[in-house]
Structures are given as structure tokens and as C-alpha cells.
């Protein structure tokens, strides 16, 4: 009996002090759901379903779920769906990132505590895929990620529209009085018109490509539009593969390795992908004890070209990427730079896949390695006395003329301060200044929102100013663009140097040297550090998950994961202490 206790319905029994009684009772209750006894003997594939009425991107999941179930049944397994937390990007306050770790814990615990031999992870919207991959990595049973797929584009007059780069573009035009309120209201109903994730290479699509590169999703599935019939075929195939993995198990820890993580970083850079993805990949890798180092990111960035011409970096949309050849075409271009012996859920190596994977490539969307859109990767990490542990700039979505630059800092102490003063006609600011936002990092009460895309003051945007250097410890939506320095680490809320910047200070940015420096006397910086006090509410004034989060969340360079979620062998203390500046 003991061998059977590790399989199917008999896995991980509820403890009543009598194993035979536990399985008897479980089977009896399962029979109450109408299963026959023979069906209950089959291997079980759990399906982690993150459908929610608060998640527009997942609205097609009921149909997608059926396709996964069909695949599991065809392969001889028993599919059992279970719900998990869902994270609909725009429906969560203060920001979805705050709940990514909660969803990852939910996913891990429900995979581990319930009787399943393998799992299909049904996710898509920005934070759901990293949360599921983090949870599945920690649970470490065979797992296949199936993503929602991107939305289709829509139309406004002669223009194509896709969430959400165009949302920001039109909103900026509205702020600059170039679009009327009637027109912006009309556009509101045209930006997101189908099921699926944002239509550009934002965080969701970047994470879908990363999951496929890591080997956790089936080849060729990252870019299939949500409403395309191929998405349902991908669901069926994912169910089949998950069932097959029960006989020949390959666990996430065999798939997500140092080499596959490096491949994923290369792909992120070649896509000109979302800055959020570096945080998520760090967190996923961290769950398996793999360290993602920002200095390494820079080394890879220097030798990885940008190949994909999609918004927000380029001009096109995810559906174009799918028809242009998708991720397979990008991987083939990057082949000389990739580790080819990494393993996928299919049991094949990346090298095996790239031997077979070929086909039409639209070179307007996916460039050749020898003729890239940009010679260097889309992201660069900056270091210096303002960001001793690093900051991120998406250089592929920024204005190059601002890259080697010094400016006067105009400081906003919080998001509230920003909202109150940024459009004040009396604000002393001009286009050469650097806008600095403090207290928007992971431990702040704002929870590191996607607020790093700081608005250009109305009085400047009305004069045609489209970009300025903007610096914060916040994140930026993967669909946004601009010369925006993000994830400054350590953050303001732990007394990092960003907290010490004052209006009128000067900051030097050099993308060439990968530097971000506050031009200040060392003694003065030390004095400011000694005088600094935290303006965030103390832990005693916070409760529940909010308190757990503030207490345990790591910094951006640690993937903003909870320190206690790392594997036991790499557990370390929380870094939320005041940083000493020497
Ligand atoms: Fe879900 Fe953009 S809102 S992916």
C-alpha cells in the first residue's frame, strides 16, 4: 500500500492517525462527486485555474480549461481543476506586485497539499505567471505552464490600438491637450476589446516568452493569441504533456537551471522586454537557489542584440509577432549565444527543438542577428552612489539623447506629493531637470507600484516635451516607455541613498558607463544619512498580510520575494535594515 500512497488520489493523505481510513474516507468523498472507482485509480493532473471575475485577461479560461482537461483525459489521466488567487493587473490596490508572493504561496501550498501527480498552471496576466512559476518551483512536482495568450488589436479611425502602450500614448496626448475629452472617452472602449493579456511586449508577453525559453511551457505557445484556435490546441497539448510527465517525471528544478535562466535573460534582452521581468526571473530562480546578478545582466546585455520590433520598443503588436514566427524565430537567431543542453517539459533539449523548429519569419518584426534593431540588449543595470545595488533602465524604450547627462533633481517625497505638485503651474522645473520620486519601493506602503513612468509636468508637455530623465525606486509597466531609471536599490524606505536626495542636488546619468551618481560631498551624504528617519508607518501600525509583506519582502535585486520563501539551504535574513552609507 505504501507505494500507492504516493500516487494519484492517495498522495499526501489527510492525517487521521490511520492511513487506510484516510484513503477510505477520501475515496468515499470523491465518489460523492460522481467519479467512478476506476477513474479514481488514474494518475491525477491538477489544473491551477486563476480565472476570476476581476481579471479581464483570463476571461476565456473556462474554454481553455476544457481543452486542458481534454488533453489529460486523452493521455489517460484524471484532470482536476482547483482555484487559486488571481491577479488582475488593474483591479488590485495598491499594486498587483504586492500579491504576487501571496499567489505563489497559494499555488505552492495547494499543489503540495492536494493529491496531484502533475500540474498545469493556467495563468497570464502580469504577475500570475511569475507567481505560478515561483510556486511550482518550490513545490517541485512536474508542471506545465499554459499562458492566456495576448489580446488582439482594435481600431480607432485609421490607427491600430492595443493595450496598453497606446493607452499611455493617448493619455499623454490628452494631458497635452492634443486629444479632447470626447475622443479619450471613445478610445477608452477601444483599447482592450478581446480576452487575453496586453497586446504588446509588456510584462505578460515577456513572461510568457521567458516561461517558454526556460522550458516550462510548450514550444511555440507563448505568442498564440488568446482567441486563436491554436490556443485551445496548446491547452490540449499541455494536458497531454503534463500527464506524460507523471510516468517520466521532469521536475521544475531540472528545467529551471543556471543555464536556462541565462537563456531567459538573453531572450528578455533580445525582446526589449519588460523591466518587471528581471524582478520576476530573479524571484523564480531564487526559489531554486539560483542567483540572478545585475552585473551579469550587463555582461549579457553588451552581447545580446534587440531583435523584436514590438511596442513599446518598436511599432507592432503580439499578434504580428505570432504570425512573424514567434519566439522560435528569436531563439534560432540567438542560437550561438544560448545553452542548448537545457531541458523542457517535452523532455527535449533546446538544441533538439531548434534543430526541428523552422519556418517563415517576417523580418519586419523579427530581425536577423546580423542585422539587429539595436546592437545591445534592451535593458541595462546602472550602479553608483545613488544605487549601490543597482537600478534598471530600459534603454531600448528611452531617448538616447538623454543618456549622457547631468541634471538638477526635482524631488517628490511620495506618490501623493507627486500627484499634488507635478502639474502645479508654479513648480520650478524645466525639461533638463531630473524628476526624482522617493518612497515607492517594495517596503514602502505603496508596495512598489508601476508608477516609475512619472508624468511629464503639464506645463512642459503642453510645450511638446515628450521625455525627461525620471528616477525612482518604483517599477514601470512593461507597456511604458521613456528615459526612466527604476528599481533604485536600496530603496528610500530603508534609507537608501535615493531617500537622501534633495531638490537642487545634481545627478549624473551615464548609460555608456552604466552609472547613476548623486554629485555630493561624501561627508554631506553621511550627515544626511544620519539625520534620515523613516516616514513610512512602523510595522506595529500595520497588520495582516500588509505587515508580513512590509516585514519580509526583499529588495528589487532579490526579486522582491519573501526572504523565508527561499530554499532552506539559501535562507538568509531580511535586508530591510537601514543601509549604512560609508
Ligand atoms: Fe493583464 Fe496587461 S492587464 S496583461
Amino acid at each position: 500500500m505504501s507505494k500507492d500512497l504516493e500516487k494519484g488520489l492517495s498522495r499526501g493523505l489527510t492525517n487521521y492517525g490511520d492511513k487506510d481510513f484516510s484513503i477510505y474516507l477520501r475515496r468515499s468523498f470523491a465518489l460523492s462527486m460522481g467519479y467512478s472507482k476506476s477513474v479514481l485509480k488514474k494518475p491525477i493532473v491538477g489544473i491551477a485555474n486563476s480565472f476570476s471575475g476581476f481579471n479581464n485577461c483570463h476571461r476565456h479560461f473556462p474554454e481553455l480549461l476544457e481543452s486542458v482537461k481534454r488533453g489529460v483525459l486523452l493521455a489517460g489521466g484524471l484532470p482536476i481543476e482547483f482555484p487559486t488567487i488571481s491577479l488582475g493587473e488593474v483591479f488590485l490596490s495598491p499594486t498587483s506586485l504586492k500579491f504576487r508572493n501571496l499567489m505563489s504561496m497559494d499555488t505552492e501550498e495547494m499543489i503540495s497539499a492536494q493529491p496531484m501527480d502533475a500540474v498545469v498552471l493556467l495563468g497570464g496576466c502580469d504577475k500570475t505567471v511569475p507567481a505560478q512559476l515561483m510556486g511550482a518551483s518550490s513545490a517541485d512536482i512536474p508542471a506545465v505552464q499554459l499562458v492566456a495568450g495576448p489580446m488582439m488589436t482594435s481600431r480607432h479611425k485609421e490607427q491600430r490600438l492595443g493595450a496598453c502602450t497606446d493607452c499611455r500614448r493617448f493619455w499623454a496626448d490628452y494631458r497635452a491637450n492634443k486629444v479632447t475629452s470626447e475622443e479619450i472617452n471613445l478610445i477608452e472602449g477601444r483599447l482592450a476589446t478581446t480576452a487575453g493579456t496586453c497586446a504588446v511586449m509588456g510584462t505578460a508577453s515577456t513572461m510568457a516568452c521567458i516561461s517558454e525559453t526556460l522550458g516550462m511551457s510548450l514550444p511555440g505557445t507563448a505568442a498564440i493569441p488568446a482567441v486563436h484556435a491554436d490556443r485551445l490546441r496548446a491547452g490540449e497539448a499541455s494536458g497531454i504533456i503534463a500527464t506524460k510527465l507523471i510516468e517520466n517525471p521532469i521536475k521544475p528544478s531540472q528545467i529551471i537551471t543556471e543555464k536556462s535562466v541565462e537563456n531567459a535573460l538573453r531572450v528578455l534582452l533580445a525582446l526589449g522586454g519588460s523591466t518587471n521581468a528581471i524582478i520576476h526571473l530573479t524571484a523564480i530562480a531564487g526559489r531554486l537557489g539560483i542567483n540572478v546578478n545585475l552585473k551579469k545582466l550587463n555582461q549579457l546585455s553588451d552581447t545580446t542584440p534587440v531583435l523584436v520590433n514590438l511596442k513599446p520598443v518598436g511599432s507592432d503588436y503580439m499578434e504580428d509577432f505570432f504570425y512573424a514566427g514567434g519566439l522560435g524565430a528569436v531563439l534560432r537567431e540567438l542560437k550561438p549565444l544560448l545553452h542548448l543542453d537545457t531541458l523542457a517539459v517535452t523532455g527535449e533539449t533546446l538544441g533538439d527543438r531548434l534543430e526541428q523548429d523552422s519556418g517563415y519569419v517576417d523580418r519586419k518584426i523579427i530581425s536577423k542577428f546580423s542585422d539587429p534593431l539595436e546592437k545591445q540588449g534592451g535593458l541595462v543595470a546602472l550602479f553608483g552612489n545613488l544605487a549601490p545595488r543597482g537600478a534598471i533602465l530600459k534603454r531600448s524604450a528611452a531617448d538616447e539623447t538623454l543618456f549622457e547627462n547631468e541634471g538638477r533633481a526635482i524631488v517628490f517625497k511620495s506618490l501623493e506629493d507627486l500627484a499634488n505638485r507635478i502639474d502645479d503651474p508654479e513648480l520650478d522645473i524645466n525639461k533638463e531637470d531630473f524628476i526624482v520620486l522617493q518612497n515607492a519601493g517594495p517596503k514602502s506602503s505603496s508596495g512598489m507600484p508601476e508608477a516609475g513612468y512619472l508624468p511629464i509636468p503639464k506645463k512642459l508637455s503642453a510645450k511638446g516635451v515628450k521625455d525627461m530623465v525620471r528616477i525612482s525606486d518604483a517599477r514601470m509597466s512593461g507597456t511604458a516607455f521613456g528615459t526612466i531609471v527604476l528599481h533604485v536599490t536600496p530603496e528610500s524606505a530603508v534609507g537608501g541613498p535615493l531617500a537622501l536626495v534633495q531638490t537642487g542636488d545634481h545627478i549624473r546619468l551615464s548609460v555608456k558607463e552604466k552609472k547613476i551618481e548623486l554629485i555630493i560631498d561624501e561627508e554631506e551624504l553621511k550627515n544626511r544619512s544620519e539625520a534620515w528617519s523613516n516616514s513610512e508607518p512602523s510595522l506595529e501600525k500595520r497588520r495582516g498580510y500588509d505587515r508580513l509583506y512590509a516585514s519580509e519582502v526583499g529588495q528589487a535585486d532579490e526579486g522582491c520575494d519573501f526572504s523565508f520563501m527561499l530554499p532552506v539551504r539559501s535562507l538568509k535574513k531580511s535586508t530591510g535594515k537601514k543601509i549604512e552609507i560609508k
Side-chain angles (χ1 to χ4, degrees), residues 524-539:
E524 170 64 12
L525 192 62
K526 202 168 172 206
N527 291 342
R528 287 189 195 176
S529 174
E530 277 161 16
W532 177 82
S533 67
N534 199 348
S535 56
E536 291 293 329
S538 65
L539 273 186

Side-chain angles (χ1 to χ4, degrees), residues 514-531:
K514 303 183 174 78
K515 282 223 148 117
I516 183 100
E517 296 276 359
L518 181 62
I519 300 169
I520 192 169
D521 185 71
E522 268 188 36
E523 197 56 30
E524 170 64 12
L525 192 62
K526 202 168 172 206
N527 291 342
R528 287 189 195 176
S529 174
E530 277 161 16

Side-chain angles (χ1 to χ4, degrees), residues 55-58 87-91 124-128 149-151 163-164 192 196-200 202-205 450 477 479:
N55 194 333
N56 59 295
C57 300
H58 296 187
L87 305 176
E89 188 61 23
V90 300
F91 294 97
C125 194
D126 287 13
K127 310 301 177 293
T128 60
M151 291 179 203
C164 227
T197 49
C198 285
V200 297
T203 306
S205 295
E450 292 186 341
S477 163
T479 62

Side-chain angles (χ1 to χ4, degrees), residues 473-508:
D473 45 11
R475 296 175 300 118
M476 172 171 89
S477 163
T479 62
F481 46 88
T483 309
I484 296 176
V485 178
L486 302 152
H487 310 179
V488 170
T489 307
E491 63 170 306
S492 309
V494 296
L498 185 71
L500 312 178
V501 183
Q502 296 176 358
T503 291
D505 287 346
H506 276 243
I507 295 174
R508 191 169 81 89

